[in-house]
Amino acid sequence: MLGNFIYYNPTKLYFGKEVHKNLLDALNGFGKKVLLVYGGGSIKKNGIYDTVISALNEAGKEVTELSGVMPNPSLEKLNEGIKVARESGADLILAVGGGSTIDYSKGVAASAYYDGNAWERFWLGGKEPDADQKIIPVGSVLTLAGTGSEMNGGSVITDESNKLKVGKVFDDRLMPKFAILNPEYTYSLPKNQMVAGIFDIMSHLMEQYFSDDDDSTTDYLIEGLMRSVVASSRVAVKDPENYEARSNIMWSATWALNTLLKMGKSGDWMVHMIAHAIGAYTHATHGMALAAISPAYYRLVKGFGLHRFARFAKVVWEVPTEGKTEEQLADAGIDKLADWIKEIGASSNISSLGVTTEMFDGIVGATFLGGGYKQITKEDVKQVLNDSL
Ligand code: NZQ
Ligand code: ZN
């Protein structure tokens, strides 16, 4: 385990079915005015809205609603929310939904009392709010397991007019103060959203795993989580209301991206960077964009971290090692990943997400370059797109 770090995470987690009771406890200690943020209305169909409203009423809160947060929330919607939050004088923003709603709420919370151009400062400029700037606390009720937004500082916003999807990871002031995690709340998800969430979890784990080559406790943790995600996914796609599988998936999602696993690790994140650029051009569902490009990306970089890719095959996919070179093992591991993508019904190519070759130059230009085992170039991004068509 190499590297120096400080570990701190302020999010209080409430896991399980007792949402009303948990929410009452969680709301304690925040002021009267609550800005309730949600998406396009799924919470009204599945009854989550009613449970949340009844807890807010019982807690004596004054509620202002801000709805219509779209998947991959837009800058335009962010600007609307900033105004509403400021006018409402919210003491707490309660985000009820998936990653988009929670990311958006953090964006609003960070920006409501910033007097300049928030997009330029926080997302494009990568800066944090000043120490004396007011930040509205955020709490969340999660309805889609995948992003880890319920326990991290991430906030991904899309500037649609300039085709730029940018993730800002805020410091711990913007991490949700609490997260209510009820696996049953994910039962109403359409299958493609459940699967996209599952792949997103796997991708967060791989982005952190495929970097560095020291002997690190973190990598063993990641391997355990990957094995659990694969096992639970196989149950959940056949039996979506299997509580055990859905609860494992929800718990894994939170731990996959709640800052623990990046301790002592440099990370890669290029699959995310390319997928974000694809999202800016197509509005593709985040997890599906990740799935569509992952095998091609890992085939491109595997030679630079062969030992780790061979370990991935051995430990995560249980590929027999006998008679195989490290390179053959690495290839077999990536093949297993590609097979699993098909098996669970995630996207296997970017054409199905609406990507055309005419978009390639734009997508390459919108990709923030970096890397784990290999610092990739614009040509590499183009190759990944070509190989994923
Ligand atoms: O808007 P509603 O009507 O609620 O419907 C949503 C939406 O259409 C629906 N949904 C959510 N929970 C449901 C449900 N439908 C039925 N029953 C339920 N229980 O699912 C659709 C997708 O929701 P969304 O929040 O967009 O999905 P997800 O959680 O995958 O979030 C994606 C966003 O998070 C960002 C992505 O880039 C994308 O913008 N990410 C955030 C990260 C972070 N904060 O750290 C990291 C990730 O890598 C990711 O980049
Ligand atoms: Zn992701």
Side-chain angles (χ1 to χ4, degrees):
M1 186 93 179
L2 303 176
N4 307 311
F5 55 82
I6 297 171
Y7 180 69
Y8 172 66
N9 194 310
T11 307
K12 183 170 180 177
L13 299 178
Y14 295 83
F15 196 91
K17 300 177 186 178
E18 298 198 54
V19 173
H20 185 89
K21 183 165 158 268
N22 290 339
L23 197 47
L24 276 180
D25 184 72
L27 289 169
N28 236 328
F30 295 99
K32 245 184 144 35
K33 293 183 178 166
V34 175
L35 182 65
L36 175 63
V37 179
Y38 55 97
S42 71
I43 64 165
K44 291 207 167 155
K45 290 194 198 116
N46 55 25
I48 296 173
Y49 175 86
D50 294 337
T51 306
V52 169
I53 285 288
S54 96
L56 286 165
N57 287 341
E58 198 173 323
K61 304 294 184 188
E62 282 168 26
V63 180
T64 303
E65 296 195 17
L66 172 57
S67 63
V69 180
M70 62 292 282
N72 311 318
S74 70
L75 176 57
E76 206 184 343
K77 184 73 184 169
L78 176 74
N79 288 331
E80 176 198 326
I82 291 171
K83 228 169 138 256
V84 174
R86 206 168 169 148
E87 280 166 13
S88 77
D91 300 307
L92 173 74
I93 297 181
L94 182 60
V96 184
S100 294
T101 295
I102 305 174
D103 278 19
Y104 174 80
S105 298
K106 291 177 215 168
V108 169
S111 311
Y113 293 96
Y114 176 63
D115 288 324
N117 182 322
W119 171 250
E120 280 178 9
R121 179 183 167 95
F122 302 134
W123 284 268
L124 296 182
K127 298 201 179 84
E128 297 298 327
D130 285 334
D132 58 356
Q133 191 210 294
K134 183 172 168 184
I135 291 169
I136 308 171
V138 175
S140 71
V141 177
L142 186 66
T143 66
L144 194 169
T147 64
S149 188
E150 65 278 11
M151 203 181 183
N152 69 36
S155 173
V156 184
I157 300 292
T158 302
D159 174 357
E160 292 182 323
S161 45
N162 291 304
K163 292 202 178 347
L164 264 186
K165 182 172 178 179
V166 184
K168 161 71 187 157
V169 182
F170 285 104
D171 66 30
D172 54 57
R173 291 174 292 168
L174 268 308
M175 289 183 183
K177 303 295 175 212
F178 61 85
I180 308 276
L181 310 175
N182 177 6
E184 285 184 344
Y185 276 10
T186 63
Y187 287 176
S188 57
L189 275 168
K191 187 174 175 207
N192 73 315
Q193 289 294 348
M194 174 185 80
V195 167
I198 290 171
F199 195 83
D200 195 18
I201 307 168
M202 189 67 172
S203 181
H204 297 156
L205 295 168
M206 293 191 292
E207 297 275 28
Q208 295 167 105
Y209 186 69
F210 292 124
S211 64
D212 314 310
D213 54 12
D214 57 317
D215 182 37
S216 165
T217 300
T218 303
D219 292 318
Y220 296 85
L221 290 173
I222 296 175
E223 286 163 350
L225 284 162
M226 288 188 195
R227 290 172 62 98
S228 169
V229 170
V230 171
S232 299
S233 72
R234 289 183 162 141
V235 177
V237 289
K238 293 205 180 87
D239 179 12
E241 300 208 357
N242 184 300
Y243 186 82
E244 185 175 60
R246 298 305 288 269
S247 61
N248 284 335
I249 290 167
M250 190 172 243
W251 194 228
S252 303
T254 302
W255 284 98
L257 199 56
N258 73 351
T259 70
L260 175 79
L261 302 181
K262 75 173 189 188
M263 296 302 127
K265 298 281 306 175
S266 57
D268 181 329
W269 296 105
M270 280 316 300
V271 171
H272 270 69
M273 293 305 110
I274 301 170
H276 281 178
I278 290 173
Y281 274 76
T282 62
H283 290 287
T285 297
H286 174 65
M288 293 305 191
L290 299 168
I293 59 171
S294 287
Y297 175 76
Y298 290 125
R299 284 188 185 110
L300 179 86
V301 301
K302 67 152 203 265
F304 299 84
L306 214 46
H307 189 61
R308 181 56 53 89
F309 279 92
R311 179 171 153 177
F312 175 66
K314 239 174 350 193
V315 180
V316 180
W317 301 104
E318 298 176 0
V319 175
T321 55
E322 221 177 64
K324 290 194 186 73
T325 63
E326 272 204 330
E327 184 156 13
Q328 286 168 332
L329 267 176
D331 284 334
I334 300 169
D335 289 346
K336 288 274 187 193
L337 174 70
D339 291 347
W340 178 66
I341 288 170
K342 290 204 179 88
E343 180 190 337
I344 62 173
S347 299
S348 289
N349 61 71
I350 54 175
S351 318
S352 62
L353 304 173
V355 177
T356 60
T357 48
E358 288 75 44
M359 292 177 187
F360 277 14
D361 286 338
I363 293 172
V364 171
T367 301
F368 294 88
L369 296 176
Y373 288 124
K374 178 181 178 357
Q375 294 292 303
I376 70 166
T377 61
K378 285 182 187 299
E379 288 67 41
D380 291 332
V381 178
K382 207 162 194 171
Q383 190 182 327
V384 171
L385 295 175
N386 248 320
D387 295 348
S388 307
L389 259 181

